[in-house]
Amino acid sequence: QVQLVESGGGLVQPGGSLRLSCAVYGSIFGINAMGWYRQVPGKQRELVADITTVGYIHYANSVKGRFTISRDNAKNTVYLQMDSLKPEDTAVYYCAVDTDGVYWGQGTQVTVSS
């Protein structure tokens, strides 16, 4: 059984920062990639950033230069450092892991508002 536990969401003002964490628990024999997605009501879930186990990274154009994804392979943990946050970044953020299938975290709310 694979479980993903997210933390780090909250309420911040525009221009502020948050750091999201996602730890993967269970019998993991190999991870191909880990990533972050976000979703708002009435809109499809969209990819924010992902990173392979060997370090290949890509970002959505909307977050380039503001967000940084990283991972600790020994801890099976992926992070998302979010800087210069904008109101349009408000969403539920989900982490995901690609192993022998795709597994999702429970989601954590990020709200950017003054």
Side-chain angles (χ1 to χ4, degrees):
Q1 189 76 270
V2 178
Q3 296 184 10
L4 284 66
V5 180
E6 301 181 31
S7 62
L11 173 65
V12 297
Q13 293 184 330
S17 297
L18 284 174
R19 187 182 188 231
L20 306 183
S21 299
C22 176
V24 182
Y25 298 93
S27 297
I28 306 298
F29 297 100
I31 294 176
N32 297 315
M34 304 178 76
W36 292 93
Y37 294 71
R38 65 187 182 188
Q39 188 169 26
V40 299
K43 190 175 181 180
Q44 292 184 338
R45 190 173 300 180
E46 63 178 359
L47 176 66
V48 176
D50 62 7
I51 182 169
T52 71
T53 304
V54 296
Y56 295 107
I57 295 172
H58 92 279
Y59 298 95
N61 288 334
S62 59
V63 306
K64 285 182 178 178
R66 300 188 298 118
F67 291 10
T68 304
I69 189 171
S70 61
R71 83 280 185 266
D72 185 332
N73 290 335
K75 296 180 179 179
N76 287 335
T77 299
V78 63
Y79 306 93
L80 186 67
Q81 178 67 43
M82 304 185 293
D83 299 318
S84 301
L85 283 161
K86 303 175 181 180
E88 52 262 45
D89 294 318
T90 296
V92 177
Y93 283 70
Y94 298 89
C95 64
V97 58
D98 176 20
T99 172
D100 60 352
V102 178
Y103 298 86
W104 296 92
Q106 80 279 10
T108 185
Q109 178 70 48
V110 171
T111 302
V112 185
S113 177
S114 59

